[in-house]
Amino acid sequence: MNIIPMPAILTENEGKFHFTDQIAISSNPEAKSIALWAQKFLQKSSGFPLPIENTVKEDSEENYITFLLVSNSANIKPEGYKLRIEPSRILIQAIDLAGLFYGFQTLRQLLPKEIEQNEPKNDIKWKIPCVLIEDSPRFSWRGFMLDVGRHFQPIAQIKKMLDQMALFKMNRFHFHLTEDQGWRIQINKYPKLTEIGSKRNDTKIGGWLSKQYRGQPHEGFYTQDEIQEIVGYAKERFIEVIPEIELPGHSRAALAAYPHLGCLGTQMEVPSKFGIFHDIYCAGKEETFSFLQNVFDELLNLFPYTYVHIGGDETPKKRWKSCPHCQQRIVEKNLDDEKDLQTYFVNRMFNYLTSKGKKVIGWNEILHPNLNPEAVGQWWIGGKKKIISHLRQGRKIIVSKLTQVYLDYNYVMTPLRKTYALEPIPSGLESKYHSNILGVEAPLWTEWVPNNTRFEWQVFPRIIAVAETAWTQKENKNFQSFMTRLTAIYQRLSLMGIKPATIKNVNPKGIKRFLKMPSIGKWPLV
Ligand code: ACM
Ligand code: ZN
């Protein structure tokens, strides 16, 4: 059975369910939204009428696909489901709507691949193998991050990605909305953020070693209505959207719009090249904090979820070292140094956001003995030693290790097998702390991702490996099996209009890998 992610328990039984125009859908009233979802999805490719009944009759009812939201007592875990396919009927049970939704995604993968087509074709025999599946996720955080700062990404591409995330049971979309090279969200109180900060004159192309530029301006931002449209689309797919406003670094676009928020206060452009910039928000000026708080006030109205991301990575301290405001803050607050000033900065934002009922995430550079223990760390770089000590103190961590799940590298640097091999729980961590690992998230940074073709080549198939790592129990993971299932699923991706990297190129080995190493800087399509 070509199911990804691999379910926890799968029993194959005799026989097939025949999905025909005689089939109907039933659900209890609580599960109606999922019944409607299934109806719409299945009608599109089969053309069958699929009437819905909002009562569930006897357990043995024939010719129905039934969705049942049951109470806690049913021995099913959150987001988990039980899927029973018999020759005469299909039953999906869960204790939450997400579980029913995921049960349906599994059913979808058991149907012939043409179920992904956009219109009915007559000649398909829709047979589904009889199985009993009991399934639930290993981790509650199964994420994908998209950087829309370096290259603005159209809403259609984001929705296409959210569709894929749903198919593979991923549930967190981390929306990296601000960068040095572009501010991408409308903030009514600060119109220059988008009037100035969402535009740049040019863009470096060809990779880190190149000196070439595209020779064209680049711009784009999402209105608040568009943000709500994306959040709504994700919600229908049980995906929470986590907004990120980068601070104090990666903030050149904001400083181009409002230069007084920097230490120097001088006018500067939205940069056309990539990297780490010295100009960051001034930690000594009160205006910086009132600005960021006002930005978050508008933002929090658009994202109805608990988690908010405040960045915190790659923050050079050069400007803070020579800024009278920042130095005065260090003295006033009795801080050790500029590193401690960053913790002050992060804690202050943390306190503000916590007062609004939010939980805060930051990249692992924010981890510091004085950081509030409730702040969640996103582990992208550095060894496990420090991370383990934080986990032992009770801190929650999301795993995004650069060497394995960063989707912006090519397949020479990060072959699919290396991504698949990620084990999120660091070895040496005692089992009582394992639950402090919330899960896994794969970022796509878009310095060199100017279009959909490149986007899909970078993301697929590695994101599918990440989805399996995040969902499937460790002992049920197997790379050989994954490759077989993946090869089958490629036909579906094609029907969905996704163009992944070719299977034969995603696991370069030995000499071929080394021969291609020198071209890493050019990011070749291997
Ligand atoms: C990062 O990649 N700078 C979080
Ligand atoms: Zn300053």
Side-chain angles (χ1 to χ4, degrees), residues 313-314 363 380 406 445:
D313 59 320
E314 300 179 325
W363 299 104
W380 71 281
Y406 264 38
W445 302 100

Coordinates of all heavy atoms in Angstrom, one line a residue, residues 313-314 363 380 406 445, ligand 1:
D313 N 17.4 35.2 14.8 CA 18.6 34.6 14.3 C 19.5 35.6 13.8 O 19.1 36.8 13.5 CB 18.3 33.6 13.2 CG 17.5 34.2 12.1 OD1 16.7 35.0 12.4 OD2 17.8 33.9 10.9
E314 N 20.8 35.3 13.6 CA 21.8 36.1 12.9 C 21.7 37.6 13.2 O 21.4 38.3 12.3 CB 21.6 35.8 11.4 CG 21.8 34.3 11.1 CD 21.6 33.9 9.6 OE1 20.7 34.5 8.9 OE2 22.3 33.0 9.1
W363 N 14.3 31.4 16.7 CA 15.4 30.6 16.3 C 16.4 30.4 17.4 O 16.4 31.2 18.4 CB 16.1 31.3 15.1 CG 15.2 31.4 13.9 CD1 14.6 32.6 13.5 CD2 14.7 30.4 13.0 NE1 13.8 32.4 12.4 CE2 13.9 31.1 12.1 CE3 14.9 29.0 12.9 CZ2 13.2 30.4 11.1 CZ3 14.3 28.4 11.9 CH2 13.4 29.0 11.0
W380 N 18.0 25.2 14.5 CA 18.4 25.1 13.1 C 19.8 24.8 13.0 O 20.3 24.3 12.0 CB 17.9 26.3 12.3 CG 18.6 27.6 12.6 CD1 18.5 28.4 13.7 CD2 19.7 28.2 11.8 NE1 19.3 29.5 13.6 CE2 20.0 29.4 12.5 CE3 20.3 27.9 10.6 CZ2 21.0 30.2 12.0 CZ3 21.3 28.7 10.1 CH2 21.6 29.9 10.8
Y406 N 16.7 21.7 5.8 CA 16.6 22.9 5.0 C 16.4 22.6 3.5 O 17.2 21.9 2.9 CB 17.9 23.7 5.2 CG 17.8 24.8 6.3 CD1 17.1 24.5 7.5 CD2 18.4 26.0 6.2 CE1 17.0 25.4 8.5 CE2 18.3 27.0 7.2 CZ 17.6 26.7 8.3 OH 17.5 27.6 9.3
W445 N 14.1 28.7 2.4 CA 14.6 30.0 2.3 C 14.7 30.3 0.8 O 15.1 29.4 0.0 CB 15.9 30.2 3.0 CG 15.8 29.8 4.4 CD1 16.2 28.7 5.0 CD2 15.3 30.7 5.5 NE1 15.9 28.7 6.4 CE2 15.4 29.9 6.7 CE3 14.8 32.0 5.5 CZ2 15.0 30.5 7.9 CZ3 14.4 32.5 6.7 CH2 14.5 31.8 7.9
Ligands
ACM1 C1 18.2 30.8 9.7 O1 18.4 30.0 8.8 N1 18.9 31.9 9.7 C2 17.2 30.6 10.8

